[in-house]
Each structure stands twice: as structure tokens, then as C-alpha cells.
């Protein structure tokens, strides 16, 4: 893969391999893990703009940072331009240089609220949200899909609207909303977005190994790739793509467990790391056996003991 820096406004990323926002997963510790393995930019999980405006403690906790360096990037969602701007101006988002607007989430609850990918059905509102967020003085990116379904493909049109409203970067998930997270990635539509605008375009969808990233970049001509579920199962995918060497998977997970407990507490760390280690074991020998043991673990000490016996 052709590694290069990406210029987003006045920012320059170390490379063009990014961690996409993953609801429920891209907390501060996981972002630090991925950054340490080579990710050039890591986004928080999506947070509610209204939750930030109303100073929801639960919402603000999603924006914890670990101070490990790198560009701080957050993703917000909502459908009210004023609330979106106020969220960008909030104290909770003060540490973040780049704010991504979620216009691609396909989850029914979000869609029915007129948020996420539903905004692709109302381009004037999407433009208004972007232009209002830009008033905050923050750099703004937008993540969206190719359309709502195969009868409503609007990738290039929506890309132009985002750029025209002031977006500094866009990320295109190469599937329609109805496909959710499965099916073929439409390289041609991501390429159409790239050809339609003069801001950085990041390609997203179907990256589970270095070869996938290389193909996505070469087929679309995009400026970079964003890894989502591939990172959830294998955070070392960033090392494989960027050429980072001499990393120890078990040691990485040990550190993730320890830092997750320190920052988020025993209960959260136990439940979260049981799940994450189970993901990391996908495709390995005796994975089912170890997963059964993990989900019976009641403390992080038990999780740690199991971790020392697994073979990544």
C-alpha cells in the first residue's frame, strides 16, 4: 500500500491508514493500542450531540483521551444543526482537533430518528449541519455511505455537497444503508466521490488484511483507508499494513487489559476485555474452548490468567 501523510486543513496525519469509529469499541485505550500499532488517525465511537449539549456524564465519558499523543478525532451524530454546532463548541470536545459527523450509521434506531444515514435523504439539512459545525472553528469531516439502497446511489452528489458546505475531509463506506455491514464494497462509487471533490477522500469497507487495504486504495484512488471491524478483530492489522515490526500480541493485550481497568474500572474492564480477547481469538486453535472460559470469568484477574494461556 502507498503510505503517505494526509493533509486535513492544517493537520498532517502520520500516514493514511485510519481507525474508523466503532460504537462500543473505540474507547481511549483501544485507540491508543491501534495508534501504537501504526494507525495514523483514530476516531472515538460516535457520541450524541444533544448528550454533549446537555452535559450527559455517560456521553462525555465516551470522549476520554489517554494523552498518548497523535491527533484527537471525535465523531458526533445528530440532526439538529444548532445542537451539532453547540456540541462542536462544547468543553467536552475542546481537546479534539477534528470532528467527524456521522451521516452513515445504518442502525434502525438512529435512522428512524433522522440521524446517521437518514441525512443522505435530506442533502440541504446535511449541508446546513456541516456549515453550522464549521462555525465552531473546528476541522470537520463527514462519514457517509454510497446511498440508502441500490436505487438511490448518490455518492458523488453527496460528496460535492459535503465539500461545498465546508467539510475538510470525507470518508465513504462503499455500501448502501440497506446492506448494513455485509456485501460487496462498491469501489467505483468511492472513486466517483474522489473524482468529484478536492478534499481528502478516505475509503472504508471490507478491510480485514493488508491485501484488502491495498486493493481498496488502488481500486478507488482514495487518499487513505479507514479500518473498522477488521481492527476490532485484529488491531495488529495496522502494523501489518504500515510495516510496524517486533510487536508481541499477548503483551499488547496485557497492556490493553491493564489500562482499561485503570481508566474504566474493574467491572467494565472485565466485561469489555472478555469480549475483545474473544474477538482476537477468531480463527485460532481452540478458540471456542478459550471463549467459554473467558465468558465465565468474573474478574480481570481471571481474564488475565486465561490470557496467559491462549495462543494468538
Amino acid at each position: 500500500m502507498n503510505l503517505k501523510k494526509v493533509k486535513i486543513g492544517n493537520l498532517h496525519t502520520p500516514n493514511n491508514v485510519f481507525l474508523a469509529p466503532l460504537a462500543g469499541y473505540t474507547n481511549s485505550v483501544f485507540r491508543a493500542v491501534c495508534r501504537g500499532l501504526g494507525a495514523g488517525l483514530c476516531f472515538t465511537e460516535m457520541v450524541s450531540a444533544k448528550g454533549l449539549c446537555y452535559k450527559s456524564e455517560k456521553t462525555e465519558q465516551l470522549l476520554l483521551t489517554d494523552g498518548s499523543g497523535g491527533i484527537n478525532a471525535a465523531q458526533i451524530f445528530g440532526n439538529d444543526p444548532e445542537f451539532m454546532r453547540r456540541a462542536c463548541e462544547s468543553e467536552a470536545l475542546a481537546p479534539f482537533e477534528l470532528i467527524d459527523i456521522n451521516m452513515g450509521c445504518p442502525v434502525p434506531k438512529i435512522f428512524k430518528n433522522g440521524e446517521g444515514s437518514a441525512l443522505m435523504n435530506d442533502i440541504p439539512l446535511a449541508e446546513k449541519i456541516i456549515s453550522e459545525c464549521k462555525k465552531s472553528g473546528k476541522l470537520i469531516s463527514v462519514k457517509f455511505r454510497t446511498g440508502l439502497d441500490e436505487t438511490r446511489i448518490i455518492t458523488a452528489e453527496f460528496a460535492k455537497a459535503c465539500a461545498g458546505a465546508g467539510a475538510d475531509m470525507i470518508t465513504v463506506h462503499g455500501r448502501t444503508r440497506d446492506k448494513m455491514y455485509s456485501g460487496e464494497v462498491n469501489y467505483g462509487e468511492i472513486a466517483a466521490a474522489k473524482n468529484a471533490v478536492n478534499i481528502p477522500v478516505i475509503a472504508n469497507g471490507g478491510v480485514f488484511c493488508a491485501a484488502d487495504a491495498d486493493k481498496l486504495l488502488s481500486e478507488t484512488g482514495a487518499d487513505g483507508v479507514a479500518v473498522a471491524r477488521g481492527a476490532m478483530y485484529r488491531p495488529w492489522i495496522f502494523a501489518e499494513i504500515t510495516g510496524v515490526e517486533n510487536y508481541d500480541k499477548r503483551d499488547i493485550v496485557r497492556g490493553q487489559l491493564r489500562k482499561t481497568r485503570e481508566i474504566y474500572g474493574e467491572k467494565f474492564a472485565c466485561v469489555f476485555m472478555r469480549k475483545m480477547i474473544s474477538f482476537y481469538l477468531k480463527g485460532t486453535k481452540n478458540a471456542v474452548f478459550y471463549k467459554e472460559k473467558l465468558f465465565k470469568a468474573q474478574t480481570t484477574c481471571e481474564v488475565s490468567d486465561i490470557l496467559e494461556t491462549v495462543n494468538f
Side-chain angles (χ1 to χ4, degrees):
M1 178 172 155
N2 180 26
L3 296 175
K4 63 179 182 179
K5 294 182 178 181
V6 178
K7 185 178 184 296
I8 311 167
N10 61 350
L11 298 176
H12 292 82
T13 66
N15 61 49
N16 55 342
V17 186
F18 300 167
L19 170 66
L22 285 163
Y25 296 99
T26 52
N27 58 44
S28 65
V29 180
F30 186 70
R31 297 197 306 274
V33 166
C34 294
R35 190 180 299 117
L37 287 164
L41 185 65
C42 300
F43 288 90
T44 68
E45 51 192 296
M46 66 178 189
V47 297
S48 165
K50 287 188 176 180
L52 290 175
C53 291
Y54 291 128
K55 297 186 180 297
S56 163
E57 184 178 345
K58 185 176 181 181
T59 299
E60 292 184 351
Q61 190 177 33
L62 299 175
L63 296 172
L64 290 175
T65 58
D66 68 342
S68 64
I71 298 167
N72 286 320
Q75 188 186 69
I76 62 174
F77 72 96
N79 62 5
D80 185 302
E82 181 184 354
F83 275 105
M84 296 290 276
R85 174 183 53 77
R86 285 171 53 194
C88 290
E89 295 170 343
S90 68
E91 184 179 349
L93 286 180
F96 293 87
E97 298 100 319
L98 175 65
I99 309 299
D100 187 70
I101 303 173
N102 186 311
M103 296 190 180
C105 179
V107 174
K109 179 181 178 181
I110 299 293
F111 185 80
K112 289 176 182 177
N113 284 342
E115 300 165 332
S117 58
L119 291 167
M120 297 194 72
N121 214 26
D122 192 339
I123 292 179
L125 177 57
E127 291 174 318
K128 179 64 174 174
I129 288 171
I130 296 166
S131 61
E132 280 296 305
C133 288
K134 282 292 290 185
K135 291 178 183 179
S136 70
K138 297 282 189 180
L139 293 173
I140 301 297
S141 62
V142 183
K143 188 170 187 285
F144 61 94
R145 289 177 171 247
T146 57
L148 296 183
D149 57 46
E150 292 298 323
T151 68
R152 291 175 285 178
I153 299 286
I154 59 169
T155 323
E157 179 185 358
F158 202 80
K160 288 179 183 177
C162 291
D168 299 285
M169 181 178 78
I170 57 173
T171 300
V172 184
H173 182 155
R175 297 183 179 98
T176 51
R177 184 256 167 180
D178 63 324
K179 297 286 180 58
M180 299 296 283
Y181 304 104
S182 62
E184 294 295 318
V185 173
N186 192 326
Y187 300 123
E189 283 301 311
I190 300 176
K194 172 60 183 171
N195 293 330
V197 298
N198 293 316
I199 57 174
V201 176
I202 307 301
N204 172 232
V207 178
F208 292 93
C209 64
D212 292 337
D214 187 61
K215 183 176 182 180
L216 184 59
L217 199 67
S218 63
E219 292 282 344
T220 63
D223 298 286
V225 298
V227 187
R229 289 174 300 137
M232 189 172 74
Y233 288 99
R234 300 176 66 248
W236 27 86
I237 188 175
F238 293 106
E240 294 170 5
I241 297 172
T242 63
V244 172
E245 299 178 348
N246 300 320
Y247 61 91
D248 183 283
K249 294 177 182 178
R250 195 189 315 278
D251 196 47
I252 288 166
V253 183
R254 283 191 195 110
Q256 185 184 5
L257 175 60
R258 182 180 66 256
K259 290 294 292 184
T260 302
R261 182 175 57 227
E262 288 175 5
I263 295 175
Y264 296 98
E266 167 69 21
K267 183 177 179 180
F268 176 89
C270 181
V271 174
F272 183 75
M273 290 305 298
R274 287 187 320 201
K275 178 171 58 177
M276 296 309 293
I277 296 171
S278 293
F279 286 152
Y280 302 160
L281 289 171
K282 184 179 180 181
T284 64
K285 187 177 180 180
N286 298 322
V288 173
F289 169 76
Y290 286 115
K291 286 179 183 179
E292 289 176 352
K293 290 185 68 176
L294 279 166
F295 283 100
K296 291 177 182 177
Q298 298 299 308
T299 68
T300 55
C301 286
E302 291 177 53
V303 173
S304 179
D305 288 342
I306 297 167
L307 172 61
E308 295 307 312
T309 67
V310 302
N311 182 13
F312 290 111

